[in-house]
Amino acid sequence: MEYQTTQDSFQFDFSNISDSEIWFRKLFQSVNSFSALDYNPWVGSVIGSVIVGLSGIFPLLVIPIDGGVNISKGVSGDRLKLLLSFAVGGLLGDVFLHLLPEAWNLQSKQSPIRDMREHPSMFCGLWVLTGLLVFIIVEKLFTKENPEILAEEVKLKEKEAVKNNNNLKTTPDDDCKGKEISGYLNLMANVIDNFTHGLAVGGSFLLSYRVGVLTTLAILVHEVPHEVGDFAILLRAGFSRLDAAKAQIVTASSSLVGACTAVAFSGASDVIEQKTSWILPFTAGGFLHIALVTVLPELVEEKSRWESFKQLSFLILGIGVMALLTYVVDG
């Protein structure tokens, strides 16, 4: 096969070849001429971050449970517990198999180790603890009263209303209905996590279109099981399915901000990495709080051995899925 090259594209010699080969080579020449055009990373970064953000509505299509389900009663409650178990496993797998190793590697590249105080484990450990403490403080400040206590207060008000011949009718479900702080904590952690994903997408499209597409697909595959777990946590916190999907989309907007930040400050990528290196371990601390403090205690209270076995199996499944995705995507 003979061909001539110019500075920007390939020029094939179409003599003495079949029609099918001519068609293929013209297609190759067209693709090559397309890649030779002025490449704009803004377009790819915006589209990639939007696609990653839309993964938040995927659970709306596959999870039939609505919000406000009583986790301690009924078939829907048992199903929600299984999803919450998967969420706990997914969060733990994400923290220990993805976020912390990535933060460790990032910190190791940025600063040489001279003594123990500059070791990546010290930096990551301090920010993980900071994330845990911040989420604990926020939950302490904004948590609502125990729903059981509120229900008792509602019953007392109903009795007083009956005695006074008032027509006041209240129900525990109406008065106690609301969104728990754990749902908003999860959304806060997701905002930070999605921002880092946006930075990764924007940075990859700065390298090339191919690297950007592969990075976007890798993050998308990694995010789908994570979004399923987040969706279950929001349902537990009192969000309806539609409200949870809307909240997921809103938090996904931080991915777009991260992508735009990476492209806008492309000339100072090293500075951005240094300034944002705390985000990964901080987010890991927030995810640990949500998994081990907010969700897991309710699952531990399960009395049925069979349901406990199923919940443990889903927890291990969540870890296994994140481990598999980390091995396939990051490996």
Side-chain angles (χ1 to χ4, degrees):
M1 179 181 69
E2 297 180 359
Y3 59 88
Q4 300 172 346
T5 61
T6 65
Q7 182 177 1
D8 296 327
S9 63
F10 290 97
Q11 299 292 332
F12 287 100
D13 182 6
F14 294 122
S15 61
N16 300 324
I17 56 176
S18 64
D19 293 338
S20 60
E21 291 183 21
I22 291 176
W23 179 85
F24 175 78
R25 292 173 185 179
K26 285 184 176 179
L27 177 63
F28 178 84
Q29 189 172 351
S30 299
V31 174
N32 187 69
S33 63
F34 172 78
S35 62
L37 297 175
D38 291 337
Y39 173 65
N40 188 353
W42 279 101
V43 177
S45 299
V46 171
I47 294 176
S49 60
V50 169
I51 291 175
V52 171
L54 289 178
S55 64
I57 66 174
F58 172 77
L60 183 65
L61 307 176
V62 298
I63 297 180
I65 304 172
D66 204 347
V69 174
N70 191 335
I71 193 173
S72 62
K73 297 180 182 179
V75 177
S76 296
D78 292 337
R79 290 177 180 174
L80 182 57
K81 285 183 180 180
L82 293 180
L83 288 174
L84 290 172
S85 301
F86 181 84
V88 171
L91 287 174
L92 293 178
D94 196 21
V95 167
F96 292 105
L97 302 178
H98 175 66
L99 292 178
L100 290 182
E102 186 174 343
W104 187 297
N105 290 333
L106 182 63
Q107 187 64 20
S108 298
K109 293 177 182 178
Q110 289 180 355
S111 58
I113 302 174
R114 298 186 181 88
D115 54 40
M116 191 59 193
R117 289 174 296 180
E118 299 179 356
H119 198 276
S121 61
M122 180 66 69
F123 176 86
C124 294
L126 288 175
W127 276 110
V128 169
L129 290 174
T130 301
L132 273 170
L133 290 174
V134 168
F135 275 65
I136 290 173
I137 292 171
V138 172
E139 186 166 15
K140 283 287 188 181
L141 290 176
F142 297 102
T143 189
K144 295 180 180 180
E145 291 186 64
N146 192 319
E148 295 180 358
I149 298 177
L150 291 176
E152 292 296 329
E153 293 179 356
V154 169
K155 291 179 180 179
L156 291 176
K157 289 181 180 179
E158 287 181 345
K159 291 180 180 179
E160 292 178 359
V162 171
K163 290 180 180 180
N164 296 329
N165 295 323
N166 293 331
N167 293 324
L168 177 64
K169 292 184 178 180
T170 57
T171 61
D173 290 337
D174 293 334
D175 282 61
C176 300
K177 187 176 181 181
K179 298 179 178 64
E180 296 181 9
I181 186 62
S182 60
Y184 294 105
L185 287 175
N186 187 66
L187 292 175
M188 184 175 75
N190 281 332
V191 167
I192 302 173
D193 189 40
N194 288 332
F195 179 79
T196 63
H197 291 157
L199 289 176
V201 171
S204 62
F205 275 103
L206 285 172
L207 297 176
S208 71
Y209 177 78
R210 175 180 174 275
V211 174
V213 170
L214 291 176
T215 302
T216 301
L217 291 176
I219 294 176
L220 186 63
V221 171
H222 192 275
E223 274 298 286
V224 168
H226 187 86
E227 295 291 351
V228 172
D230 291 338
F231 203 78
I233 292 174
L234 292 178
L235 292 181
R236 171 197 169 277
F239 285 71
S240 67
R241 296 172 72 245
L242 185 59
D243 287 342
K246 291 179 180 178
Q248 294 280 69
I249 294 177
V250 171
T251 58
S253 62
S254 64
S255 176
L256 182 60
V257 175
C260 294
T261 301
V263 178
F265 297 96
S266 57
S269 57
D270 292 338
V271 176
I272 293 178
E273 285 189 355
Q274 291 178 355
K275 298 296 184 182
T276 60
S277 59
W278 60 272
I279 292 179
L280 290 176
F282 180 88
T283 306
F287 283 163
L288 285 176
H289 176 271
I290 294 169
L292 300 180
V293 178
T294 304
V295 180
L296 189 60
E298 293 187 9
L299 301 177
V300 173
E301 295 176 357
E302 178 62 52
K303 301 294 176 56
S304 171
R305 291 186 178 181
W306 173 240
E307 290 297 328
S308 296
F309 174 77
K310 290 195 295 184
Q311 292 169 19
L312 181 61
S313 300
F314 269 72
L315 191 151
I316 296 174
L317 177 63
I319 296 175
V321 168
M322 300 306 292
L324 178 62
L325 291 177
T326 300
Y327 176 79
V328 173
V329 176
D330 298 339

